[in-house]
Amino acid sequence: MKASWDTQVYCLIGDPVAYTLSPVMHNTAFKKLGINGLYLAFRVPTGKLREAVEGMKALGFKGFNVTIPHKVEIIRFLDGLDRLAARIGAVNTVKNDGGRLIGYNTDGEGALRALEEAGVSPKGKNVVVLGAGGASRAICFTIAKLARKLVIANRTEDKALKLAERLRAELGVNVEVCRLLEEELAPMLAEAEILINATSVGMYPEVENSPVSSALLRRDLTVFDIVYKPLKTRLLREAELKGAKTVDGLAMLVHQAARAFEIWTGVTPPVEEMRKAALKEVRQG
Ligand code: NAP
């Protein structure tokens, strides 16, 4: 559709944004649904966030996504937060609701849908999540109430302890913590049914790193790696060799985008078309 004065404008703000897959996913959805919308990406360095938000508000942008390094900082500039985003303490999606900017976090829902799409539900399961950063917080707050038991393993134990404390206090759930060390992870993984890597270990360019020794992987463990660059991380390759079910980070990326699209437009986007467009871009890049 040809852009005009009444085109609904959306965007991503972050730094860097050069390799983002968000524009291709959202623009594909707009085109497929015949919506007069346009999604762009803007590099907004630290220190320029307030001006960027004021500019988007003044120009009537309908919504935007937020990525590193602004996911926490953005909260100061918003008019309201949805409950899950407030609990997580980070925002990746903002909706302009008649001039009021409301923050959401769709990462956890994206992860949950990625698992469910693969035929795996965390409901009643024993789940180990690696990492205690922003993505882990979003995932833990989304799945903690569904899981039978949740274990958070992190390199910096203190961060995992703080996250576990907040999950217990706010959701009243059963959470254990350990360090990202083979001897501490081994007994936790022996009982686990789902392993989620929410650390950045294995991400480009350090593609030969894995957060878990392959000796701890088994056929009856579902292994979900949220890293999407590369699509097949070393962790997923080793899990596949053991015959385990694997889920890659692109599935989460597509579903967190789909959830943001729903929040903005109230319309369910064509997830398969968005995935194909993102995959094409990944393979070309
Ligand atoms: P973050 O807030 O910076 O957290 C990074 C996490 O990784 C922390 O737990 C950190 O541990 C751990 N970590 C980093 N380097 C490590 C190392 N060498 N050894 C052990 N642990 C290490 O980042 P984030 O926003 O949560 O993102 C994490 C990853 O998820 C990134 O690769 C990101 O691209 C990916 N992600 C994917 C999606 C998706 O849709 N697929 C969405 C969001 C994020 P410490 O606490 O010890 O530092």
Side-chain angles (χ1 to χ4, degrees):
M1 196 170 287
K2 208 169 137 202
S4 52
W5 70 271
D6 58 351
T7 296
Q8 298 171 21
V9 182
Y10 300 83
C11 71
L12 170 71
I13 56 167
D15 188 14
V17 292
Y19 301 104
T20 176
L21 297 171
S22 295
V24 77
M25 289 192 287
H26 288 291
N27 288 324
T28 297
F30 288 138
K31 195 170 168 195
K32 188 80 191 164
L33 294 169
I35 294 175
N36 184 8
L38 177 65
Y39 189 107
L40 301 161
F42 296 107
R43 189 174 83 83
V44 175
T46 308
K48 290 283 177 195
L49 187 58
R50 178 189 294 277
E51 284 132 292
V53 173
E54 281 170 1
M56 289 188 291
K57 216 169 169 175
L59 294 173
F61 280 28
K62 295 288 177 192
F64 55 94
N65 286 126
V66 185
T67 190
I68 290 168
H70 306 307
K71 282 184 170 183
V72 175
E73 180 76 2
I74 187 72
I75 293 174
R76 315 203 271 130
F77 305 114
L78 302 179
D79 302 299
L81 272 190
D82 115 297
R83 202 163 113 160
L84 180 61
R87 281 182 161 151
I88 295 164
V91 159
N92 77 337
T93 299
V94 176
K95 179 179 181 173
N96 185 342
D97 198 358
R100 291 186 77 238
L101 298 183
I102 311 296
Y104 298 81
N105 193 311
T106 68
D107 278 339
E109 181 68 23
L112 181 61
R113 289 186 187 184
L115 276 172
E116 286 174 345
E117 177 186 73
V120 182
S121 167
K123 205 169 174 188
K125 301 269 171 44
N126 185 329
V127 184
V128 173
V129 175
L130 311 179
S136 168
R137 288 207 307 271
I139 293 170
C140 288
F141 269 103
T142 308
I143 67 165
K145 262 198 152 348
L146 301 172
R148 183 173 80 253
K149 179 179 164 190
L150 176 65
V151 177
I152 303 167
N154 198 44
R155 175 178 62 179
T156 312
E157 194 180 22
D158 194 46
K159 271 167 76 179
L161 285 168
K162 284 197 178 114
L163 174 55
E165 235 167 67
R166 287 188 42 217
L167 287 160
R168 284 188 207 110
E170 295 191 31
L171 304 179
V173 288
N174 176 20
V175 190
E176 287 184 29
V177 163
C178 72
R179 284 177 294 173
L180 204 58
L181 299 173
E182 187 164 350
E183 62 272 26
E184 292 194 17
L185 264 177
M188 301 298 187
L189 280 177
E191 292 178 357
E193 291 147 289
I194 302 175
L195 167 66
I196 303 176
N197 176 37
T199 73
S200 43
V201 179
M203 191 170 89
Y204 180 83
E206 284 163 13
V207 297
E208 281 313 315
N209 291 348
S210 171
V212 175
S213 155
S214 71
L216 303 184
L217 305 175
R218 330 176 297 272
R219 189 184 168 77
D220 57 347
L221 182 71
T222 295
V223 181
F224 174 20
D225 197 338
I226 76 162
V227 170
Y228 57 87
K229 204 174 174 196
L231 267 188
K232 207 167 265 187
T233 58
R234 178 171 178 179
L235 173 63
L236 292 189
R237 279 185 272 129
E238 292 181 341
E240 267 180 17
L241 285 175
K242 298 274 173 145
K245 180 174 261 191
T246 59
V247 183
D248 67 41
L250 189 73
M252 172 172 164
L253 190 76
V254 171
H255 285 291
Q256 63 77 30
R259 179 71 197 114
F261 193 97
E262 286 164 13
I263 289 169
W264 292 328
T265 64
V267 176
T268 305
V271 170
E272 274 323 302
E273 304 283 337
M274 291 166 79
R275 187 194 322 268
K276 272 189 217 148
L279 254 178
K280 194 172 162 199
E281 189 107 337
V282 167
R283 290 186 174 138
Q284 280 171 354

